[in-house]
Amino acid sequence: MAHYIPKIALTAGDPAGIGPELAVKTAVSPEWNNRARFVIYGEVTVLEEAARRWSDGKVTEIRSAGSLPFGSFELGRADGRCGKIAYDGLTMAVRDALSGEVDAIVTAPMNKYAVNLAGIPFTGHTERIAELCGCSNYVMMQSSGALRMVFVTCHIPLAEVPSRAVKSEIVRVTRLLDEAVRAEGIASPKLAMAAINPHAGENGCMGVEDERETKPAIAELRAAGIDVDGPFPPDTLFVESTRSRYDGLVTMYHDQGHIPFKMLAFESGVNSTLGLPVIRTSPDHGTAFDIAWRGIADEGSFHAAVDLAIRRAIRRREREAQ
């Protein structure tokens, strides 16, 4: 098929954060010439101000997510009005992706507290996008090159992890990871799984969860032809000599995976959501209110997210054309 140039939705995220800067700089960067077209979802005057500051006034197509004139809110501070703009922009972008108007979505950071200040219960992009897609079988993945990591539980209190990291969920999430790695062209993925407890529970001496949940899950997955090792003590899984042997890692809860991942790949990490009918990626950082609108935000993670979204959109189009 002829070279396909996908249309990528960039959500500008919280107007008071670094999202508008990242979205505008990305949309006009020559790095993406002949690779992608962009449409930014956000507040028009905010994006125009970002373009004036960082792209000589040049800006790509904008879809307005509401009115909150630049200067009417405090930069670098959580504000319910900003949270509402970010939330509505995300909603618009997902609906356009579902209708086929855009090929993929790259989401700039939102502030969860700001969205909740607007009276909207919100735990994260991943959950909201899945809700809009009517999808229950999904999982967050963090990736940077050959390092790929999923989370059996994510945006929940630590106290709830033991009751949620159960065999059925472990199997479901690992299957999604296996499918995602295969979609990247690795025919026989080799996966590793972290234990729930320290020392993998020491055969039940440090908790029975691994005896009851992770080990039976691994047995079921292996019986189904999925090559997965573990459960590994979490404090040894991320050592290079161990993790480098695997194409993907399964972790049990948010901080178990996010802390080592961000230490290893903070400036290049990409967050994506597996199992959805739409392609969604994002940078692996937050709104960075402390440096918002200063023109110094690191663009590495956002650019990596855009690159991954483009590659996945092209692969999807190629598969559909076969």
Side-chain angles (χ1 to χ4, degrees):
M1 62 180 294
H3 175 63
Y4 181 66
I5 300 179
K7 188 172 187 179
I8 308 296
L10 305 177
T11 66
D14 194 301
I18 61 174
E21 173 188 344
L22 294 173
V24 164
K25 286 181 175 179
T26 296
V28 301
S29 172
E31 178 180 354
W32 313 112
N33 289 351
N34 300 315
R35 288 196 64 199
R37 300 166 292 143
F38 297 102
V39 53
I40 306 179
Y41 294 71
E43 208 284 333
V44 174
T45 66
V46 169
L47 293 170
E48 289 176 341
E49 177 63 21
R52 185 188 70 78
R53 296 190 186 197
W54 297 303
S55 68
D56 297 324
K58 295 182 293 184
V59 70
T60 188
E61 178 184 352
I62 296 174
R63 287 212 62 191
S64 174
S67 178
L68 184 64
F70 186 80
S72 65
F73 56 91
E74 184 176 345
L75 302 179
R77 183 173 181 177
D79 185 318
R81 297 171 300 165
C82 293
K84 180 70 161 55
I85 291 286
Y87 184 86
D88 288 347
L90 173 65
T91 300
M92 292 170 60
V94 174
R95 288 175 176 164
D96 282 355
L98 287 169
S99 70
E101 291 187 38
V102 296
D103 295 286
I105 310 165
V106 180
T107 57
M110 292 169 62
N111 184 277
K112 297 177 179 64
Y113 179 57
V115 180
N116 280 273
L117 284 176
I120 303 169
F122 180 75
T123 57
H125 277 97
T126 302
E127 294 82 1
R128 174 58 177 161
I129 296 170
E131 177 188 12
L132 289 166
C133 293
C135 180
S136 59
N137 187 24
Y138 64 91
V139 68
M140 175 191 293
M141 181 173 80
Q142 302 281 12
S143 62
S144 177
L147 176 62
R148 306 172 187 86
M149 184 182 300
V150 293
F151 308 84
V152 174
T153 68
C154 196
H155 294 134
I156 63 171
L158 185 60
E160 295 181 15
V161 169
S163 64
R164 302 274 288 275
V166 295
K167 176 188 170 185
S168 59
E169 280 298 286
I170 295 169
V171 168
R172 182 186 69 81
V173 166
T174 306
R175 286 182 177 276
L176 287 172
L177 176 60
D178 183 71
E179 292 169 5
V181 177
R182 291 176 187 274
E184 292 188 27
I186 299 175
S188 302
K190 190 166 184 62
L191 310 179
M193 184 180 297
I196 297 172
N197 292 309
H199 299 195
E202 289 279 14
N203 295 311
C205 297
M206 290 187 183
V208 300
E209 288 82 4
D210 291 295
E211 301 298 317
R212 188 179 62 211
E213 310 295 349
T214 60
K215 291 181 180 180
I218 289 170
E220 180 175 325
L221 289 160
R222 287 175 174 168
I226 295 176
D227 187 359
V228 55
D229 290 341
F232 285 90
D235 59 349
T236 62
L237 176 58
F238 305 104
V239 176
E240 183 178 6
S241 60
T242 302
R243 72 172 191 272
S244 62
R245 304 201 307 265
Y246 297 97
D247 303 302
L249 309 178
V250 180
T251 63
M252 294 298 127
Y253 55 93
H254 186 282
D255 285 6
Q256 186 186 67
H258 276 75
I259 291 173
F261 183 87
K262 290 186 177 182
M263 291 183 69
L264 292 166
F266 185 75
E267 294 181 353
S268 61
V270 178
N271 177 0
S272 56
T273 310
L274 309 181
L276 298 177
V278 301
I279 297 168
R280 177 262 171 158
T281 68
S282 76
D284 188 29
H285 58 68
T287 49
F289 280 159
D290 57 323
I291 61 168
W293 289 88
R294 292 170 56 189
I296 60 174
D298 189 295
E299 301 170 46
S301 183
F302 198 83
H303 278 223
V306 171
D307 180 72
L308 181 59
I310 293 170
R311 289 188 283 111
R312 286 185 177 175
I314 292 172
R315 282 200 300 270
R316 174 174 285 187
R317 178 57 65 101
E318 290 172 345
R319 289 196 300 270
E320 292 172 348
Q322 291 176 351

